[in-house]
Amino acid sequence: MRTSQFPLNTVKETPADAEIASHQLMIRAGLIRKLAAGLYTWLPLGLRVMRRVEKITRAEMEKAGALEVLMPALQPAELWQETGRWEQYGPELARLKDRHDRDFCLGPTHEEIITDLARNEIKSYKQLPITYYQIQTKFRDEIRPRFGIMRSREFIMKDAYSFHLNQASLQETYEVMYQAYSNIFNHLGLKFRAVIADSGSIGGAVSHEFHVLAESGEDAIAFSTVSDYAANIEKAEAVMPGGSPKAASAELTLIDTPNQHSIEEVCRFLNIAPAQCLKTLIVKGEEDALVALLLRGDHELNTIKAEKIDGIASPLAFANDEEISLACNCKPGSIGPIGLTIRIIADRSVALMSDFVCGANQDGKHYTGVNWERDLPLPAQIEDIRTVVEGDICPDGQGKITLARGIEVGHIFQLGTKYSAAMKAGVVNEAGKNQIIIMGCYGIGISRVVAAAIEQNHDEKGIIWPSNLAPFQVAICPMNMHKSARLKDASEKLYQDMLNAGIDVLFDDRKVRAGFMFSDMELIGIPHCIVIGDRGLDSGTVEYKARTAQGNEEVAFADIIDFLKAKLI
RNA sequence: CGGGGCGUAGCGCAGUUUGGUAGCGCACUUGCAUGGGGUGCAAGGGGUCGAAGGUUCAAAUCCUUUCGUCCCGACCA
């Protein structure tokens, strides 16, 4: 391709509304243009990159035995009403009416549609297992679209759905897909982690997210320093610490702590460490009941874990000051478990505390030297309700927890029968009886992968594409070609030779200055650049520069094709 | 949904406080020069100042309403 026929649309100025590097660079490099909030047009250069992601994804899906289909983005409300999601999905579901005033939505996902397909097309267990996939546009009317293509209202997703007679078959396909996903992200050249994930409202026992590692990622993930263990921090288990509390060495003492409310304030006031404090949080339970959650002062409540406990309101809600005053006879900041009559749930690490400090349920007073059993009974219910921190013991017992940030680009679920049961999708089994089919579902945010790749691979000059994602592998940059017929001939020959050799090359035949050309090629992240000039022609050489390298190297003109082929393997 | 910011040429911005009929940089067009890291000089084209209503002799500027957009949070999952 020639730049004279493939306009680059690069811009020098960073758009005012782009916050993160990938968003800024996608606009500057001319990959996308904004139409409205959360809606983007893909320009030729950007689409070329997205097609690379699709191609690699498709190849692995086919290898995994999945069959490509294409389902409508416009979907009738009836199917969504069958599963109850027409009501449940909320305003994020883009709804509309047709001219006959019938309800439709623009699909945010396709469980209902594929399940409808399955119940109509799959009649016998002999047709199972089967996996369908598609690469298609999804619509989610996000409350707050942001970060460009990263969280947009319309985006491209690869979604796959598998159907099974039994759990063992689902497990088998799940593992195949897990491997296919790993292959995809490896081929894309991205540093990623597969992590144990919360399956949320989608349900099912098993779920993994695939995260591209990047500092700017919206999710925190926890993984082991030595083993394969990795989990979303929402889901990472804080294990029960071994041992028993140290013996009490201090007397229970009621002290004045005027105007000391937060853990931080109390610690400074008493000159103790946060780990020596007990944090008491009051949250809403069921039917107006309140529940006290006890955490070590240096730990944070994990709301996902807490709201899964029976009797705690989901979504989690904190009690207000009034409700706290009624239940504890004091304001927040002086709450503690001693004498508390509401239900108490303690975090696992709390059980090992001794000689600790906690609120006294009297404004401006705390207890010091508190010890379980001697001063108050250990709470009957001990649960894992905190977020893991760096250095925690890994749940599999091997190594310690390290934290990193990631961008969720893939998510796989073992759905079970949630949709197939609601929509009565069954097959006749070997015994001739009707049986509800079991489902799995598997998604990759194709357009988000493009942004995530940039987020992970860029520098101050622009994008640094991993080889398999680059819109072009090689750029030819001739120096002042319009002034030298000899150079023009040599450049054209080099271009043709590369095309003939099957090299994906962008020939910059614009009449622009060297610096302009280099800056553009670096901004759009072409991995390999060949600089050809009269100077080199005299000695029969061209210059080669890798996007990631500092300097150039000279290569004989005659050898350049072989040289590049070796680089491109 | 709550809080805050911003809407002036394709992009980035000044001008709004104190009302007088719109400007700068980039980009674009043309010419000359330059020619290995976003070059220089000159000439040019392009804007109902987000929209509607109001105040005024006069509104980008003041008032009201409204729309869009971005950030923070909540909600949703």
Side-chain angles (χ1 to χ4, degrees):
Chain A
M1 201 60 77
R2 297 163 184 269
T3 49
S4 58
Q5 289 155 26
F6 193 96
L8 291 181
N9 308 111
T10 54
V11 291
K12 214 189 293 189
E13 308 252 19
T14 300
D17 55 5
E19 283 272 303
I20 60 169
S22 60
H23 186 194
Q24 294 174 354
L25 287 171
M26 286 185 83
I27 290 180
R28 287 227 294 130
L31 271 51
I32 55 170
R33 288 289 182 261
K34 183 167 85 170
L35 176 69
L39 299 173
Y40 292 85
T41 294
W42 287 78
L43 295 174
L45 192 70
L47 189 59
R48 236 178 129 87
V49 176
M50 187 151 69
R51 293 289 184 240
R52 301 254 190 271
V53 181
E54 289 178 5
K55 189 179 165 194
I56 289 170
T57 303
R58 235 181 218 111
E60 286 300 326
M61 283 298 111
E62 298 290 329
K63 232 170 83 183
L67 305 169
E68 186 165 11
V69 293
L70 183 60
M71 294 178 270
L74 186 63
Q75 307 173 358
E78 284 78 8
L79 290 180
W80 287 77
Q81 283 157 352
E82 274 192 63
T83 60
R85 288 212 293 181
W86 184 259
E87 286 76 30
Q88 283 165 21
Y89 217 98
E92 210 171 291
L93 185 65
R95 299 158 210 258
L96 61 151
K97 287 180 187 292
D98 71 2
R99 62 166 69 194
H100 304 294
D101 210 34
R102 283 191 287 245
D103 286 314
F104 284 81
C105 66
L106 293 172
T109 174
H110 278 68
E111 281 83 8
E112 280 78 3
I113 316 305
I114 196 74
T115 306
D116 180 64
L117 182 76
R119 69 181 168 185
N120 290 324
E121 304 302 322
I122 303 173
K123 304 292 183 193
S124 159
Y125 75 96
K126 290 177 187 168
Q127 294 168 275
L128 298 179
I130 190 165
T131 304
Y132 292 112
Y133 80 99
Q134 66 172 347
I135 293 176
Q136 191 245 17
T137 303
K138 297 282 185 280
F139 300 85
R140 292 185 190 172
D141 195 358
E142 294 279 351
I143 295 173
R144 188 146 82 84
R146 59 180 136 179
F147 304 144
I149 228 74
M150 198 80 88
R151 182 173 297 280
S152 52
R153 293 197 286 181
E154 179 178 329
F155 57 98
I156 306 291
M157 185 167 173
K158 187 285 299 174
D159 48 327
Y161 307 87
S162 66
F163 299 91
H164 311 271
L165 191 65
N166 54 47
Q167 176 64 29
S169 169
L170 170 60
Q171 184 65 34
E172 200 175 309
T173 296
Y174 188 83
E175 282 164 20
V176 167
M177 292 304 250
Y178 184 102
Q179 187 57 50
Y181 272 43
S182 299
N183 294 346
I184 288 167
F185 295 115
N186 276 326
H187 285 174
L188 289 170
L190 300 175
K191 291 183 277 294
F192 74 97
R193 283 306 279 246
V195 306
I196 299 165
D198 184 55
S199 50
S201 66
I202 294 201
V206 183
S207 166
H208 285 85
E209 290 168 352
F210 287 75
H211 286 262
V212 166
L213 301 178
E215 274 307 309
S216 58
E218 284 191 283
D219 290 289
I221 59 180
F223 55 92
S224 165
T225 46
V226 296
S227 74
D228 286 341
Y229 179 84
N232 191 307
I233 199 159
E234 294 176 347
K235 186 79 175 176
E237 184 187 359
V239 295
M240 190 76 201
S244 49
K246 281 189 192 146
S249 65
E251 290 302 312
L252 178 68
T253 313
L254 182 65
I255 57 161
D256 284 321
T257 51
N259 296 316
Q260 310 298 316
H261 302 298
S262 68
I263 294 286
E264 200 183 317
E265 287 167 350
V266 171
C267 287
R268 205 181 308 123
F269 186 75
L270 298 174
N271 196 24
I272 53 168
Q276 208 51 42
C277 282
L278 184 77
K279 178 155 62 179
T280 307
L281 302 171
I282 309 296
V283 301
K284 296 189 179 176
E286 283 165 354
E287 292 167 9
D288 296 335
L290 294 180
V291 181
L293 303 177
L294 306 185
L295 290 153
R296 219 169 73 186
D298 57 331
H299 288 152
E300 292 211 354
L301 178 69
N302 182 318
T303 55
I304 304 267
K305 290 177 181 176
E307 67 193 23
K308 283 193 178 148
I309 295 172
D310 284 343
I312 291 185
S314 178
L316 193 81
F318 286 96
N320 61 36
D321 288 8
E322 215 170 294
E323 292 166 321
I324 289 172
S325 292
L326 275 175
C328 313
N329 300 313
C330 68
K331 296 193 184 97
S334 303
I335 317 169
I338 298 180
L340 211 54
T341 52
I342 59 175
R343 183 179 168 198
I344 296 176
I345 299 173
D347 182 65
R348 289 168 172 175
S349 55
V350 165
L352 283 197
M353 294 174 74
S354 60
D355 292 337
F356 59 85
V357 173
C358 66
N361 297 324
Q362 301 172 45
D363 285 332
K365 288 186 191 295
H366 279 74
Y367 282 113
T368 63
V370 186
N371 285 278
W372 296 118
E373 304 302 354
R374 186 191 72 182
D375 306 320
L376 77 167
L378 190 64
Q381 191 171 6
I382 309 272
E383 298 276 359
D384 172 23
I385 55 172
R386 74 176 172 96
T387 300
V388 293
V389 294
E390 191 108 23
D392 275 347
I393 308 273
C394 203
D396 65 1
Q398 299 178 56
K400 294 192 168 171
I401 293 278
T402 312
L403 299 179
R405 299 207 69 85
I407 300 165
E408 184 189 343
V409 288
H411 202 158
I412 60 178
F413 297 87
Q414 295 189 10
L415 283 181
T417 56
K418 175 169 175 169
Y419 298 93
S420 48
M423 296 179 66
K424 299 185 177 59
V427 292
V428 174
N429 64 19
E430 214 165 347
K433 293 265 168 58
N434 214 324
Q435 185 179 330
I436 294 297
I437 45 185
I438 297 175
M439 294 172 61
C441 79
Y442 320 87
I444 288 181
I446 298 286
S447 41
R448 182 182 277 187
V449 166
V450 178
I454 296 172
E455 209 56 54
Q456 190 181 76
N457 301 284
H458 69 272
D459 62 13
E460 68 288 346
K461 290 175 177 173
I463 302 167
I464 306 174
W465 291 117
S467 185
N468 285 339
L469 274 174
F472 298 95
Q473 293 298 322
V474 180
I476 300 175
C477 295
M479 298 291 96
N480 303 309
M481 187 169 70
H482 64 285
K483 288 185 73 177
S484 164
R486 177 177 69 144
L487 180 58
K488 183 166 180 16
D489 291 345
S491 303
E492 290 284 352
K493 179 180 182 318
L494 184 60
Y495 175 56
Q496 285 305 329
D497 287 351
M498 283 196 200
L499 289 179
N500 293 339
I503 294 172
D504 190 13
V505 59
L506 182 65
F507 177 23
D508 199 346
D509 59 349
R510 296 174 297 178
K511 189 189 162 199
V512 294
R513 299 168 70 93
F516 198 94
M517 215 177 250
F518 296 151
S519 299
D520 261 359
M521 293 305 150
E522 282 159 349
L523 177 59
I524 68 174
I526 308 298
H528 311 280
C529 184
I530 300 296
V531 182
I532 176 167
D534 269 316
R535 224 189 267 168
L537 288 184
D538 291 337
S539 55
T541 63
V542 296
E543 288 159 44
Y544 164 79
K545 184 181 176 303
R547 176 64 178 82
T548 49
Q550 288 303 316
N552 296 359
E553 56 183 298
E554 292 209 338
V555 183
F557 191 86
D559 298 339
I560 191 65
I561 299 292
D562 288 338
F563 176 87
L564 283 173
K565 276 186 163 171
K567 294 274 182 198
L568 293 175
I569 284 172

